[in-house]
Amino acid sequence: MGNCLPNSTTKTTAEISPATAKPTSAVTVKLSGPPNSLATSYLRFALLHKKVNLRFVPSEDQKPTIHVGAETVSGSQEVLLRYIEDKFPEPRLMLWKFNLEGFDEATPAIVKAIWLQHRSMLWHIERMVRWSEDLAARGGRRAVDPSVGTPKMEIRKFAKSYAQLQEIMVEHAQMEERILFPVLESVDRGMCKSANEEHGRELPMMNGIKEYIKSIGVMDSGACSEELFTLASRFKSLQMMCKAHFEEEEKDLLPMVEAAEMGREKQNKLMNQSLELMRGTHSNVCDFLLQGLTPQEAMQYLDILMNFADPNFISSFICQQDIVD
């Protein structure tokens, strides 16, 4: 997970993923295009999947362009994807089928989206666990490197990252409760009782962590060692709870969505409604959500957005890019 983070010569603990993908090709590819375009971001993740050295140059030209050495190719997303696949055959993009384990073309889009959201949230929780443990080990006395700034600045950055994660988690839970669970309850009353109870336990825990981070932020950086260890412990508890919760949903609930007798029209309606309920996520922190996915998974998620989301709904979407000045 987490292969979508931009490259950097220096990285803080917060920016180090559990399994960050490294470029394996000596070729440098320059991608130019509008930075707020889903098509541009889709192409970026395709190139990251190929593990090339990637540089992105913002452009007002609405057609993305790829530069490889003396070659310059522009055109539609489909044309550029085929160029990428022909130019860099391995690893394959597998563009023409949904290649996540256990899913196929018939899998409802809402099931795919929920599974991918689970993957991203778990990766980000793991990241916060690692970061909080590192903060505790350092006792809040120093930052990882000078680019972070002072210890208090690092705590503010930590708080911002957690706020983004919490926004996704809260909207995800609301989407399930208002869109997914009623459909399942209409088939088998009481089926979602356990999942609803899990949501009820997780929200107070998440709010408690938020307030605890605030209290650490106003303390003297050299006197909060014990509080940082407590914070790390709280994140570990949240991680264990969410992991078990997501596994239960994926085992017991998501297969029932596939088994329910829903036509394509109703499946599409559920997906559209779920995106509408997660408007904040896809308008404000979509880049953060995608960071928690591998490039191939991010492409799958962007594909869902391009197929179902209202263009105005995600007009403010900007994915973090490797920008050349």
Side-chain angles (χ1 to χ4, degrees):
M1 292 288 173
N3 297 348
C4 305
L5 288 174
N7 294 328
S8 174
T9 53
T10 58
K11 291 189 176 184
T12 68
T13 303
E15 296 165 329
I16 298 173
S17 70
T20 304
K22 301 293 184 182
T24 57
S25 171
V27 177
T28 296
V29 178
K30 184 185 294 184
L31 171 66
S32 60
N36 62 339
S37 162
L38 284 175
T40 302
S41 293
Y42 194 86
L43 293 167
R44 173 180 177 259
F45 286 116
L47 288 165
L48 287 173
H49 179 68
K50 296 295 186 178
K51 299 184 180 179
V52 299
N53 292 291
L54 176 63
R55 291 294 178 268
F56 175 72
V57 181
S59 168
E60 294 182 0
D61 189 342
Q62 292 304 302
K63 284 188 176 181
T65 302
I66 293 175
H67 310 267
V68 183
E71 297 180 8
T72 299
V73 182
S74 63
S76 67
Q77 177 180 306
E78 291 72 22
V79 167
L80 293 178
L81 284 172
R82 289 189 179 275
Y83 171 78
I84 293 170
E85 190 76 331
D86 291 341
K87 189 72 175 178
F88 308 102
E90 297 295 335
R92 292 189 61 197
L93 288 172
M94 301 179 70
L95 297 172
W96 296 276
K97 66 175 182 176
F98 196 90
N99 59 305
L100 297 178
E101 183 178 357
F103 296 155
D104 56 31
E105 296 288 346
T107 303
I110 193 169
V111 172
K112 302 172 185 176
I114 289 172
W115 189 93
L116 289 165
Q117 288 166 11
H118 285 176
R119 300 282 74 71
S120 177
M121 289 185 287
L122 286 175
W123 182 84
H124 277 294
I125 294 171
E126 168 67 16
R127 176 174 172 263
M128 300 303 293
V129 168
R130 290 161 61 92
W131 194 358
S132 62
E133 289 176 341
D134 186 50
L135 281 168
R138 289 182 282 119
R141 293 183 177 84
R142 61 179 179 84
V144 177
D145 61 57
S147 67
V148 179
T150 66
K152 284 189 177 295
M153 290 173 65
E154 185 178 5
I155 291 295
R156 285 197 291 272
K157 184 176 182 179
F158 184 93
K160 180 180 178 180
S161 188
Y162 178 67
Q164 292 174 310
L165 172 60
Q166 187 176 19
E167 180 172 2
I168 294 173
M169 294 182 70
V170 168
E171 285 200 338
H172 174 86
Q174 291 174 342
M175 176 272 293
E176 289 185 334
E177 291 169 4
R178 299 178 188 179
I179 303 299
L180 181 67
F181 293 174
V183 172
L184 297 177
E185 287 285 327
S186 68
V187 176
D188 185 354
R189 188 171 181 82
M191 179 187 297
C192 302
K193 182 174 183 290
S194 176
N196 271 313
E197 290 172 349
E198 289 293 335
H199 287 176
R201 286 190 287 267
E202 288 164 4
L203 182 59
M205 181 179 288
M206 289 189 291
N207 289 336
I209 289 174
K210 179 181 178 180
E211 295 305 314
Y212 204 75
I213 294 171
K214 283 183 181 179
S215 67
I216 292 175
V218 299
M219 296 177 66
D220 179 76
S221 59
C224 59
S225 178
E226 183 177 343
E227 285 75 14
L228 289 170
F229 276 106
T230 301
L231 178 64
S233 177
R234 289 191 177 197
F235 268 110
K236 197 70 176 176
S237 296
L238 179 64
Q239 180 186 38
M240 294 173 61
M241 182 178 291
C242 289
K243 187 173 185 295
H245 172 197
F246 294 164
E247 287 177 352
E248 181 182 357
E249 285 189 350
E250 291 166 13
K251 177 184 176 183
D252 299 333
L253 298 185
L254 295 189
M256 296 305 298
V257 178
E258 297 187 71
E261 294 183 0
M262 286 190 294
R264 182 65 63 180
E265 184 177 348
K266 185 169 184 180
Q267 290 181 20
N268 293 348
K269 182 179 179 181
L270 285 177
M271 189 66 242
N272 287 323
Q273 289 174 331
S274 73
L275 289 176
E276 180 63 29
L277 269 174
M278 296 189 71
R279 177 176 290 272
T281 290
H282 296 108
S283 297
N284 304 327
V285 290
C286 196
D287 57 336
F288 185 84
L289 172 67
L290 295 174
Q291 283 176 21
L293 302 173
T294 66
Q296 186 82 342
E297 290 168 344
M299 290 173 68
Q300 303 284 5
Y301 200 83
L302 285 169
D303 197 46
I304 292 171
L305 291 183
M306 287 187 284
N307 285 330
F308 291 96
D310 179 344
N312 296 324
F313 168 71
I314 45 178
S315 60
S316 62
F317 167 80
I318 299 177
C319 188
Q320 292 184 6
Q321 310 282 356
D322 296 325
I323 296 177
V324 174
D325 295 328

